[in-house]
């Protein structure tokens, strides 16, 4: 039997405290890219009780995604936006989850991200990452932006860190490793970077903005 909304909230409140859980429940975050980073970030934020999550991705679940992304074999071929929504509804049935199956670019970012004060950049492609970061910083300098760069291979997880680049911009990763430079993306190290992003988002919501 699924617990009631009140029961689930009370359990989170006991874990996080009343004031912090209220902040989480009132927060709204948009996650751009639902691959190894985005799917893991979304799961962490949903489990923490973040009230509103908006998911954006244009891609479908592929068998190559299963080594590091929060999808299941029976979701192959589904759009990631729908598959992850279904999964998150099982994890956090009372979280307000919306999604869009669309590819973000300079022309639609101002509209699609306007309602969300915190933006998580979770793309796999370096050019897409740069495009999103630059567009958000240009159009929405007041938004909180948490991005990632460098998580490939099997280097020490201790090299993955969170840095505050500017007042409203944080970057997670080792800043060096690239999928084209040798060993590709490994589940655990990608999850470490995603955990850095999710932690930074929760810190921002809590009012703690230092990296």
């Amino acid at each position: 039997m699924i617990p009631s909304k009140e029961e689930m909230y009370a359990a989170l409140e006991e874990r996080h405290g009343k004031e912090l859980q209220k902040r989480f429940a009132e927060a709204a975050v948009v996650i751009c890219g639902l691959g190894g980073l985005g799917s893991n970030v979304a799961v962490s934020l949903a489990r923490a009780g973040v009230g509103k999550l908006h998911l954006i991705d244009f891609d479908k679940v592929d068998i190559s995604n299963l080594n590091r992304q929060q999808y299941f074999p029976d979701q192959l071929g589904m759009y990631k936006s729908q598959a992850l929504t279904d999964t998150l509804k099982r994890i956090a049935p009372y979280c307000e989850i919306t999604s869009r199956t669309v590819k973000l670019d300079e022309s639609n970012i101002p509209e699609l991200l306007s309602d969300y004060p915190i933006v998580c950049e979770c793309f796999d492609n370096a050019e897409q990452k740069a495009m999103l970061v630059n567009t958000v910083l240009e159009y929405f300098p007041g938004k909180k932006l948490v991005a990632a760069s460098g998580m490939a291979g099997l280097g020490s997880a201790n090299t993955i860190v969170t840095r505050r680049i500017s007042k409203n911009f944080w970057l997670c990763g080792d800043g060096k490793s690239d999928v084209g430079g040798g060993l590709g993306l490994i589940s655990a190290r990608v999850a470490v970077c995603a955990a850095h992003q999710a932690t930074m988002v929760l810190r921002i919501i809590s009012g703690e903005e230092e990296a």
Side-chain angles (χ1 to χ4, degrees):
M1 186 176 72
I2 298 175
S4 68
K5 182 177 182 179
E6 291 73 21
E7 288 172 327
M8 293 195 74
Y9 189 89
L12 289 168
E13 194 173 69
E14 182 177 357
R15 180 68 63 180
H16 301 147
K18 289 185 178 181
E19 182 179 347
L20 182 57
Q21 191 53 50
K22 184 174 185 291
R23 285 175 178 251
F24 288 169
E26 293 175 349
V29 181
V30 58
I31 301 172
C32 305
L34 305 176
L37 291 172
S39 62
N40 279 288
V41 168
V43 167
S44 292
L45 297 183
R47 290 194 185 281
V50 171
K52 295 182 180 180
L53 295 176
H54 188 54
L55 315 175
I56 301 179
D57 201 305
F58 68 94
D59 207 1
K60 293 182 178 180
V61 180
D62 182 80
I63 194 169
S64 65
N65 302 147
L66 299 181
N67 80 314
R68 67 192 185 280
Q69 302 182 17
Q70 294 293 332
Y71 301 106
F72 300 94
D74 61 2
Q75 292 177 319
L76 292 174
M78 292 179 64
Y79 282 108
K80 290 182 179 180
S81 55
Q82 184 57 57
L84 190 57
T85 296
D86 293 347
T87 299
L88 294 179
K89 282 297 184 183
R90 296 188 65 190
I91 292 171
Y94 307 108
C95 179
E96 185 179 326
I97 300 167
T98 55
S99 66
R100 289 289 298 270
T101 303
V102 63
K103 186 171 184 177
L104 287 169
D105 58 36
E106 295 94 332
S107 66
N108 60 23
I109 284 174
E111 174 190 357
L112 294 176
L113 306 190
S114 61
D115 294 336
Y116 301 90
I118 302 176
V119 178
C120 244
E121 177 281 307
C122 296
F123 290 144
D124 293 331
N125 180 274
E127 291 183 358
Q128 285 183 302
K129 284 177 175 292
M131 179 276 298
L132 178 63
V133 167
N134 291 335
T135 305
V136 170
L137 292 177
E138 178 182 354
Y139 283 91
F140 303 115
K143 288 188 185 297
K144 310 297 186 182
L145 173 62
V146 181
S149 177
M151 68 218 71
L154 269 177
S156 172
N158 295 331
T159 62
I160 294 176
V161 297
T162 301
R163 292 173 290 144
R164 191 174 191 176
I165 306 302
S166 61
K167 180 181 178 182
N168 292 320
F169 178 31
W170 295 261
L171 187 63
C172 306
D174 62 29
K176 297 178 180 179
S177 61
D178 183 7
V179 292
L183 192 61
L185 296 168
I186 306 296
S187 59
R189 204 159 189 268
V190 171
V192 169
C193 191
H196 270 263
Q197 287 190 278
T199 300
M200 194 64 244
V201 169
L202 295 174
R203 282 176 59 76
I204 291 168
I205 294 169
S206 76
E208 299 288 342
E209 297 191 356
E210 291 306 314

